Amino acid sequence: MNSANTDDLILSSDPQHPANLICTLCRNFYNWGWVTGTGGGTSIRHGPHIFIAPSGVQKELLQPTDMFVMDYASRKYLREPPVLNPSQCTPLFLAAFDRGAGCCIHTHSQWAVLVTLLVERDARERNENVHSKCFEIEKIEQIKGIPKGRGKQGMLGYFDRLSIPIIENTAHERDLTSSLTAAMEQHPDTYAVLVRRHGIYVWGDDVQKAKTQAER
């Protein structure tokens, strides 16, 4: 499809338009060290449309005209920028949207990677099954910004325990889809999944909530 014929989907002076928001978010994530080069990605569901950052573009240089737009119901692209490739994260973003998310963020945060390595080290030292482990934390202020779970009222408290499942990395991003989906089903209250030696996927009901939860 000729992207010029569908530019009305992504061109807007409104800074809150999904195509503009994705550029702003990715620029911030780059400045914070959460993504480098072309790694990571962000997607926003807006009404019947899914807005997706492309693959292979420096995240701090993204422009609204770089955005792919998909029809959520049919999973067909309504807009495909020439010479750019769709993000390999797309099926993982869709898994979050299928569970009611309005925004999904994928970063290569070094802190997230380090956590997965520490959990692996501790499990091996205790002769425990590495592959069944979650990152768990309690008695820390920052978890008070995380919801208790979908359909549940309120946020986690200081004395609650936050548990984030960890899945194993794969050679290709799209191949993470089945394990990420399984982790979502096994941990229905989670709003994030860590990928060992890779990064993290975080989602929320809307852009603000997804961003806030990623920052925590």
Side-chain angles (χ1 to χ4, degrees):
M1 180 179 292
N2 187 342
S3 65
N5 297 332
T6 55
D7 279 356
D8 57 322
L9 290 170
I10 49 89
L11 294 180
S12 172
S13 60
D14 182 1
Q16 298 302 307
H17 186 280
N20 295 328
L21 268 178
I22 289 175
C23 295
T24 300
L25 288 171
C26 288
R27 193 173 303 116
N28 287 340
F29 298 158
Y30 172 83
N31 290 332
W32 297 340
W34 290 6
V35 297
T36 55
T38 63
T42 300
S43 181
I44 297 172
R45 180 179 178 183
H46 183 70
H49 299 150
I50 304 293
F51 293 79
I52 312 165
S55 176
V57 178
Q58 302 285 323
K59 291 300 180 286
E60 77 278 19
L61 301 178
L62 279 173
Q63 299 296 320
T65 49
D66 296 328
M67 295 301 121
F68 283 77
V69 183
M70 176 185 286
D71 176 69
Y72 176 65
S74 67
R75 303 302 210 252
K76 293 182 178 179
Y77 286 106
L78 302 175
R79 184 179 192 278
E80 299 181 78
V83 310
L84 295 180
N85 295 316
S87 172
Q88 283 207 12
C89 302
T90 299
L92 294 99
F93 292 149
L94 291 172
F97 296 139
D98 288 344
R99 283 157 179 77
C103 176
C104 187
I105 296 167
H106 172 47
T107 78
H108 291 173
S109 162
Q110 294 180 16
W111 299 112
V113 174
L114 179 60
V115 160
T116 69
L117 295 175
L118 291 174
V119 171
E120 178 182 15
R121 181 202 64 185
D122 291 349
R124 293 192 187 282
E125 288 179 352
R126 297 169 184 164
N127 292 318
E128 297 173 342
N129 183 0
V130 172
H131 305 299
S132 64
K133 287 296 178 181
C134 295
F135 167 65
E136 295 183 322
I137 192 168
E138 60 187 5
K139 295 181 182 178
I140 188 166
E141 186 71 11
Q142 284 74 10
I143 67 172
K144 291 165 67 175
I146 306 297
K148 290 184 176 180
R150 187 159 302 283
K152 298 182 178 181
Q153 295 296 318
M155 302 291 186
L156 292 175
Y158 177 76
F159 293 102
D160 291 325
R161 176 173 293 185
L162 172 66
S163 181
I164 303 176
I166 302 173
I167 61 176
E168 300 302 324
N169 197 25
T170 56
H172 302 287
E173 193 96 30
R174 61 181 180 272
D175 295 335
L176 291 167
T177 306
S178 59
S179 55
L180 180 128
T181 301
M184 290 175 165
E185 293 172 350
Q186 293 165 11
H187 303 271
D189 289 337
T190 193
Y191 283 87
V193 172
L194 286 155
V195 184
R196 198 181 319 278
R197 304 171 184 269
H198 183 147
I200 189 170
Y201 282 83
V202 183
W203 57 92
D205 294 342
D206 54 37
V207 175
Q208 181 178 357
K209 291 179 180 178
K211 175 179 174 290
T212 299
Q213 288 153 205
E215 290 171 340
R216 294 287 172 169

